[in-house]
Amino acid sequence: ATEEPLNPIKQDVKKGKLRYVANIFPHKGYIWNYGALPQTWEDPNHTDSITGCCGDNDPIDVCEIGSKVRSSGEIVQVKVLGVLALVDEGETDWKLIAISVDDPEAHKIHGKYFYKYKPGYLEATVDWFRLYKVPDDKPENNFAFNGEFKDKDFAVEIIKSTHDHWKALLHKKADGGTINCTNVLVSGSPFCCSEEDARSIVQSVRIFTPLHPPLFFFSFFFPN
């Protein structure tokens, strides 16, 4: 919930209704662990030189392809494999493909060659993102590079770029619009508050158990 202090995890709401992900045949919901890479931001006021579209005002999304189903809110260290350049309703929406470093196959899966161990997974991912909004009476999504999977080095550059946009946002050098940038860790940020203030914010919110699609937070890892 990017418009609320400390950005708590909440179910997405669209046009006043709770948002759910449609089933895309033959899949049931998400086909990976789906989450976000903190400290990144796809600036809606910045036109991406690759896609020709502005950012979607969110962190970079991560599709973690490991064998374990993760819990909502879990923090997972991942090894970046590559990235897809989705253009979602006219907005740049990068999709990192990664695998948890503690996955049994992580040591042998490198870059785009993960299809050797998970045949058909990449093609299914592209199809899923192309079609997932069609059940909502929206057109198919498009991709830069015709849906070509870009390698780890390319993905790292995208991470660095969106991290720079995030730093500009947290230091009030970029217009974040309605995004609430309250935080406790970013030194020098005009939005930084004390842990005591943050605790008061959390305690002032009514605690409940939400129903929402799984959301995860990922850090990235580069092997030596």
Side-chain angles (χ1 to χ4, degrees):
T2 58
E3 297 184 3
E4 297 184 26
L6 303 177
N7 308 142
I9 298 175
K10 297 178 69 175
Q11 183 166 355
D12 200 6
V13 176
K14 294 291 185 183
K15 298 181 179 179
K17 296 182 180 180
L18 297 178
R19 183 186 177 198
Y20 296 91
V21 173
N23 293 329
I24 303 298
F25 181 83
H27 311 293
K28 303 293 185 182
Y30 291 122
I31 62 175
W32 353 252
N33 291 308
Y34 191 54
L37 190 66
Q39 300 191 5
T40 61
W41 180 49
E42 294 178 291
D43 187 348
N45 299 307
H46 171 76
T47 301
D48 191 287
S49 60
I50 296 169
T51 65
C53 298
C54 293
D56 71 346
N57 204 30
D58 283 327
I60 292 182
D61 297 313
V62 181
C63 302
E64 193 277 317
I65 65 171
S67 56
K68 181 180 178 180
V69 177
R70 300 288 175 169
S71 301
S72 298
E74 189 172 349
I75 298 173
V76 183
Q77 186 180 32
V78 296
K79 172 181 173 181
V80 171
L81 303 175
V83 68
L84 292 169
L86 178 66
V87 178
D88 191 339
E89 296 188 55
E91 296 177 330
T92 301
D93 192 4
W94 292 101
K95 305 296 183 183
L96 286 179
I97 311 298
I99 188 167
S100 170
V101 297
D102 63 6
D103 189 89
E105 294 185 320
H107 69 284
K108 63 183 180 182
I109 294 180
H110 306 289
K112 63 183 180 181
Y113 299 106
F114 76 84
Y115 63 75
K116 177 180 178 181
Y117 302 98
K118 296 179 180 287
Y121 210 172
L122 181 58
E123 293 82 357
T125 295
V126 172
D127 285 342
W128 196 96
F129 280 120
R130 179 178 289 115
L131 299 172
Y132 83 106
K133 289 189 175 180
V134 172
D136 296 326
D137 295 323
K138 294 181 179 179
E140 294 185 6
N141 284 321
N142 299 307
F143 293 85
F145 309 112
N146 293 318
E148 177 188 350
F149 180 70
K150 307 304 287 186
D151 65 17
K152 183 197 76 172
D153 292 339
F154 189 101
V156 170
E157 292 305 311
I158 298 300
I159 293 170
K160 289 178 179 178
S161 173
T162 52
H163 178 61
D164 287 341
H165 291 310
W166 173 84
K167 287 192 293 186
L169 173 67
L170 267 290
H171 288 87
K172 220 170 183 177
K173 296 180 180 179
D175 181 10
T178 58
I179 292 180
N180 191 307
C181 298
T182 304
N183 69 87
V184 295
L185 295 176
V186 184
S187 177
S189 168
F191 304 103
C192 192
C193 70
S194 67
E195 290 189 14
E196 182 179 354
D197 288 339
R199 192 173 297 110
S200 296
I201 291 172
V202 173
Q203 292 173 346
S204 69
V205 178
R206 179 169 171 264
I207 303 300
F208 66 99
T209 302
L211 297 174
H212 54 70
L215 175 69
F216 313 91
F217 297 95
F218 298 109
S219 61
F220 60 94
F221 165 79
F222 304 113
N224 293 327

